Amino acid sequence: MATMATNPQGEAVRISRLRKSFGSYSALNGIDLTVVRGQVAFIIGPSGSGKSTLLRCVNSLESYDGGELWVDGYLVGAERRGDGWIEASARVTAARRARIGMVFQRFNLFPNMTALENVTAGLRLVLKQEASQAFERGRELLARVGLSDRADSYPSQLSGGQQQRVAIARAIAANPDLVLFDEPTSALDPELVGEVLAVMRDLARDGMTMMIVTHEISFAEDVGDVVHFIDAGKVAESGPPADVIRHSNNPRTAEFLARIRTPV
């Protein structure tokens, strides 16, 4: 793994020359980007450009083939052994992953658990919190996402927007250092998108460090601190949302935005 430099303070994520292939298909072709603590970083780009693969590498759900990937001061996939580095053990990887929340496209709720049980599953089953403490935290979070009255409902009894709000509550239950959102509204009916974006907007106001893959361009422009446009597995453009979304000089960025932008 490359040079093994240390990760500067203040950086939640630092990615350098990151590469990832699936057989002959190259998904990431030298990604370089940084996410500062407290920053809301949006990742946009065409389908198949490597956005979801990037998030999965950050959360150790996928290994990577080359480059460096630092999260909260540790090198993903490796751990210190004396003066050198070895492959990270499953225990170390699990402990690190517990500090990162992730919200998926398809909710990924446990169908046999209530909303409250889903939100608290990690606290109870992974972090081994007392059930009473975990459930107290879970009720606080369900209230935060506007679902106090649905604590005992099962996923099949919830709308898609409600399920995704439960998934967000679950992702932040353990007070993570970083939350990843992988197209969190793409599976929702249009009328349900707003309720999920409202919860995410609230997290942004609270200073949560977030990496968000989305096609909700207006939301990225309104809430984001920085936008990274990824094309063919590389960061083609990065900058403040207004610069990238409204005043891009990159033809690929402009072409992509012209295809997906809806009239305001």
Side-chain angles (χ1 to χ4, degrees):
M1 292 194 180
T3 59
M4 306 302 185
T6 57
N7 191 42
Q9 292 185 349
E11 293 183 354
V13 179
R14 179 160 59 87
I15 302 170
S16 177
R17 307 179 307 280
L18 193 70
R19 293 181 287 105
K20 171 65 179 180
S21 295
F22 298 96
S24 61
Y25 171 66
S26 184
L28 304 177
N29 295 301
I31 293 282
D32 293 287
L33 66 82
T34 299
V35 179
V36 177
R37 290 189 178 94
Q39 190 175 63
V40 181
F42 280 84
I43 301 168
I44 65 173
S47 297
S49 59
K51 306 182 302 296
S52 295
T53 299
L54 176 61
L55 290 194
R56 291 178 65 83
C57 287
V58 171
N59 203 23
S60 300
L61 294 174
E62 294 283 357
S63 61
Y64 55 98
D65 301 325
E68 292 185 6
L69 172 52
W70 295 84
V71 176
D72 200 33
Y74 64 80
L75 184 64
V76 173
E79 59 178 296
R80 283 281 190 186
R81 178 66 59 85
D83 294 331
W85 297 84
I86 61 171
E87 183 178 352
S89 67
R91 178 185 59 80
V92 166
T93 297
R96 291 170 171 177
R97 190 181 291 134
R99 301 303 311 151
I100 302 174
M102 188 156 184
V103 180
F104 300 87
Q105 298 178 36
R106 294 287 175 180
F107 322 138
N108 285 15
L109 299 180
F110 298 109
N112 61 333
M113 292 186 182
T114 65
L116 181 60
E117 290 168 340
N118 265 284
V119 171
T120 60
L123 301 179
R124 294 179 292 110
L125 305 177
V126 179
L127 299 181
K128 305 301 182 183
Q129 279 191 11
E130 291 289 336
S132 58
Q133 180 183 1
F135 286 140
E136 181 179 0
R137 170 70 172 160
R139 290 188 182 94
E140 291 173 358
L141 290 169
L142 286 174
R144 179 170 184 175
V145 300
L147 292 173
S148 295
D149 60 336
R150 306 310 299 268
D152 297 324
S153 298
Y154 289 90
S156 61
Q157 299 170 314
L158 301 173
S159 70
Q162 290 171 332
Q163 290 185 62
Q164 194 63 295
R165 283 187 279 158
V166 171
I168 293 173
R170 179 179 61 184
I172 64 174
N175 294 312
D177 301 311
L178 171 68
V179 182
L180 310 175
F181 293 83
D182 188 7
E183 300 197 38
T185 61
S186 66
L188 300 178
D189 292 333
E191 65 269 22
L192 302 178
V193 169
E195 64 190 59
V196 173
L197 296 184
V199 173
M200 295 171 64
R201 190 185 305 273
D202 183 57
L203 295 179
R205 279 196 294 262
D206 284 353
M208 180 76 72
T209 308
M210 300 192 286
M211 294 178 70
I212 304 171
V213 169
T214 188
H215 285 97
E216 301 287 344
I217 299 301
S218 295
F219 182 65
E221 188 174 14
D222 185 39
V223 174
D225 297 306
V226 63
V227 171
H228 303 283
F229 173 67
I230 294 182
D231 185 40
K234 290 186 177 181
V235 177
E237 184 174 8
S238 295
D243 291 352
V244 174
I245 294 172
R246 294 288 175 179
H247 306 292
S248 174
N249 292 318
N250 184 302
R252 282 293 295 127
T253 309
E255 177 189 355
F256 168 74
L257 291 171
R259 285 204 313 268
I260 71 167
R261 195 191 304 274
T262 56
V264 177

